[in-house]
Every structure is written in C-alpha cells, then in structure tokens.
Amino acid sequence: MAKKGINSTHSIYYGRRKGFKRRLTIFLLVLLLILMALAAGFFYLQEFIVYTSDGFRFDFPFLQPSSRQPEEEPAPPEEIPLITGDGDEEEKPDPEEGESPDQTPEEHPPAQTVAAHWAAGELSQVGDPAYRARLMEWADQADCDTLVFTVKTPNGQVLIPTDSAVAAQIGSVNADPAAAEGLAALKAEGFHLVARLSANRDNIAPRALRENMVATYSGVTWMDYDYLTWMAPSGPNTAEYLGQLAVSCKQLGFEGLLLADLGYPTRGKVSLVGTDRQGGRAALTAQMIQNLRGYADGLFIAAELTDAAAANLVDAEAGQDVTQLAAVCDWLAAPLPFAEDPAAAPLRQALESGDCRLLLSLPADMLPADKSLDYYLR
C-alpha cells in the first residue's frame, strides 16, 4: 500500500510539472510577440522622430491641422505719397483728363532689359478688383513696374492651380480659383509678374518625400526654430518639384521666379544638420537652380541672398556663393537696410563682369533715392 501511495504521489507531481512547462511556453510566446511588436513599432515611429531646437520629439503629419493654413502677409499700405524733386507731393493726373478711352495703355518694356522696380502683392486677394486697384495705385506711386506674388509659402503650400504631379502626390495645393483671373487683369494693365517661391524651406514635401529632407547626422528629420522642415537642394525630387511649379507659373503669365529660403537652413541648431555637410553645399545649390532652368525656359530667375552672403559674398552654412549663383541667376536680391548701403558696393563689383544684376531688397516704406538701381519693395 505504501508503494502505491508513493507511486500515486509521484504521478501527481509529474502532472504539475507538465502544467508548469505549458505555462512557461505560453509566457515566452507572449513575451516574444510583445518584443516583436515593440521592434515593429520602433521602426515605424522612427521616421516620425524629428529634431527641433527643443530636442527630439514625435511629429505626425496627420496631427498637423494647422500646417495647411495659408500664411498671412501684410497688405500693402492704402496710400503712399510720391515725393517730387521739390519735396512736394505729386498729384496724380485725373483719368478723365488723360488719354482717350480708345487709347491702349503703354506697354512696359520687358523686365529683363530695364531697371527693375518690384513690389510685393498678396495672391490670396488678387481676385478682388478693389484690392487690385489699391495695389496698382501703390505700385504706381512707388514707381514699380513689376508685381511679386508668393506662389509657394515656407509652410509648403502652393497658392496657384498647377498640373504638378509632385504637388498632387503630396497634397500641397491650396489655390484661390479667382487668382488666375486677377493675375490676367494685372497683366492687361501692363504690369510684369514675378512668382516668389520658398525654394527649400517647406513643411509639406519633406514629410511626404523623406529622401529629400534635410536631416541630422543620424537621419532624423531636422526642423528649424519655427518647426518647419527643409528640402535639400541635392534631393532627388527638389529641382523637379520646383520646375513643375515653374511651368505652371509661366502658364499663368509670370515672367520670372524669385527664389527665397534658398539652400540650407541657417537658423536653429544647424550644427546638427548632417545633410550635404561634406558635399559642397554652394555647388549643390547652384546645380539645383541649373536643373530648375531646364523647366523654366523663358523665365528669368532671381535668388534672395542671406544677410551673410550679401555681406561676405559667401554663406557656407546656407550653401550660397555669389560667384556660383551669378552664373545661374539673372538677379541676386540682397536685403539691405537702405538703398545706398555701402555693403552694396562689393556685390556690384562682384557682378559687374557678368550678366547677373543686383536687386536691392528694401522694406516697403523705404524708397531708394537712386531710381537707376534695381530694387524690390518687400
């Protein structure tokens, strides 16, 4: 009987051991599944990790409702007095005393062959006849024959209708249907039109086409102080995207492009930007513009210089070299505090031997004393 008891106890103990092994197996399988899920989640979330001036964080495009809102630009002043050489205000001629109704307005000469006087306009309002009337009055008083409209904003929005395949793919178009009609009306009045594009600062394209983004050394998306991403000039789709927009600009009657935010970022923790750090940034920026010219046949190209490039002729961080940009651009726009700034002298000297011209980029309320210079009222 004792042996039976012992055998019976041994049988029960063996059964518990089998149950323990089964529970251990299940536990290990669950643990393995959790580890696999964590690994998959890490690789999925890795592309949404961005580096900002505040450190690393997650940035999900589908949680960015405000990224598609158009940026507001200041409207031009209602009235700017035009001062004559005697210091008195010049009176505008009465239209009824001027030319007869059947007399066609005098056509402005091409912007490429005259001293260019440019003024900024607001594309979102250009379809409004009242706004156009104020804009034309302001431009006439400021002696501006060319109107500049922002077509691609720093947040990546495209404000004109376009057939761009890249724009359709990334969903960047936010155009006012009345804009085309408004632009045509301004051209009918004899104004030249220039499209201003934020060339490389873009908060939509680098998120959708990540191989084009400016990144940190570790490959994480880099963002500037305003939490905006940048497209690298060396990106495989950067010049193509800008070129497709250039084609649409030409179809709408624009005669040239003004490239803003050109090259690489200079604000924020730029020391952590690894993109093209060893690749000759100035050459890559110039090459991007050269590639863009393949799409922009018939359009002139102007480029906005950074403060450092305007002062020193080279901004290595931004990838801007005046000599290299002059070889691929028709104008270089330099931000100067006043028209007769001595800083303009070395720029003029650097450009005097070629066909590229200097465009002084001035605040809207600061007209130059020397009207023979090319200038752009921001």
Side-chain angles (χ1 to χ4, degrees), residues 212-228:
N212 299 273
M213 70 182 181
V214 167
T216 66
Y217 285 99
S218 61
V220 172
T221 306
W222 185 92
M223 301 173 74
D224 61 24
Y225 276 145
D226 298 315
Y227 299 101
L228 298 182

Side-chain angles (χ1 to χ4, degrees), residues 168-190:
Q169 177 184 349
I170 66 179
S172 60
V173 180
N174 185 15
D176 179 3
E181 182 180 347
L183 293 171
L186 290 172
K187 281 191 70 70
E189 293 292 334

Side-chain angles (χ1 to χ4, degrees), residues 31-336:
L31 182 61
L32 180 61
L33 289 174
I34 292 174
L35 291 175
M36 291 175 62
L38 289 174
F42 172 77
F43 286 111
Y44 171 75
L45 294 175
Q46 184 174 248
E47 70 177 72
F48 298 110
I49 299 174
V50 299
Y51 187 85
T52 72
S53 57
D54 298 324
F56 290 94
R57 69 180 180 87
F58 287 107
D59 183 69
F60 300 102
F62 45 81
L63 297 180
Q64 302 277 340
S66 61
S67 65
R68 302 297 175 88
Q69 295 301 318
E71 292 190 341
E72 293 185 3
E73 295 183 7
E78 292 288 336
E79 184 176 355
I80 298 179
L82 183 61
I83 308 300
T84 66
D86 301 327
D88 297 326
E89 227 176 278
E90 182 179 323
E91 293 185 6
K92 295 194 71 166
D94 188 342
E96 296 181 1
E97 298 176 3
E99 53 192 34
S100 60
D102 22 81
Q103 185 175 353
T104 58
E106 183 180 351
E107 185 119 356
H108 290 277
Q112 297 94 319
T113 61
V114 298
H117 298 166
W118 300 2
E122 175 57 66
L123 191 58
S124 64
Q125 301 182 52
V126 76
D128 179 6
Y131 172 78
R132 289 200 304 273
R134 293 196 304 272
L135 179 61
M136 288 189 290
E137 181 181 3
W138 177 58
D140 285 339
Q141 290 175 344
D143 194 26
C144 291
D145 60 357
T146 302
L147 297 175
V148 182
F149 293 95
T150 296
V151 165
K152 178 175 174 286
T153 69
N155 66 13
Q157 288 188 28
V158 175
L159 304 181
I160 57 170
T162 176
D163 296 327
S164 166
V166 176
Q169 177 184 349
I170 66 179
S172 60
V173 180
N174 185 15
D176 179 3
E181 182 180 347
L183 293 171
L186 290 172
K187 281 191 70 70
E189 293 292 334
F191 285 98
H192 303 288
L193 303 179
V194 174
R196 186 173 186 265
L197 289 81
S198 179
N200 297 100
R201 198 180 189 206
D202 187 311
N203 208 34
I204 296 177
R207 299 173 185 272
L209 306 171
R210 299 183 66 81
E211 63 274 18
N212 299 273
M213 70 182 181
V214 167
T216 66
Y217 285 99
S218 61
V220 172
T221 306
W222 185 92
M223 301 173 74
D224 61 24
Y225 276 145
D226 298 315
Y227 299 101
L228 298 182
T229 55
W230 285 66
M231 282 196 301
S234 60
N237 304 110
T238 301
E240 176 190 15
Y241 182 30
L242 296 175
Q244 290 176 1
L245 297 181
V247 171
S248 298
C249 288
K250 185 176 180 181
Q251 292 170 346
L252 287 171
F254 287 100
E255 299 174 29
L257 308 176
L258 176 60
L259 303 179
D261 303 317
L262 178 64
Y264 299 80
T266 58
R267 293 179 65 251
K269 295 189 177 180
V270 294
S271 61
L272 297 178
V273 174
T275 302
D276 301 327
R277 179 66 70 181
Q278 307 298 330
R281 289 182 170 184
L284 291 171
T285 301
Q287 185 60 52
M288 181 192 73
I289 298 176
Q290 185 63 44
N291 294 341
L292 170 60
R293 277 197 173 277
Y295 296 86
D297 184 38
L299 298 176
F300 63 80
I301 295 180
E304 290 188 0
L305 299 176
T306 63
D307 292 342
N312 307 314
L313 304 184
V314 175
D315 185 344
E317 193 72 59
Q320 293 189 7
D321 181 304
V322 167
T323 301
Q324 295 191 49
L325 290 176
V328 293
C329 295
D330 301 289
W331 269 294
L332 297 183
L336 299 173

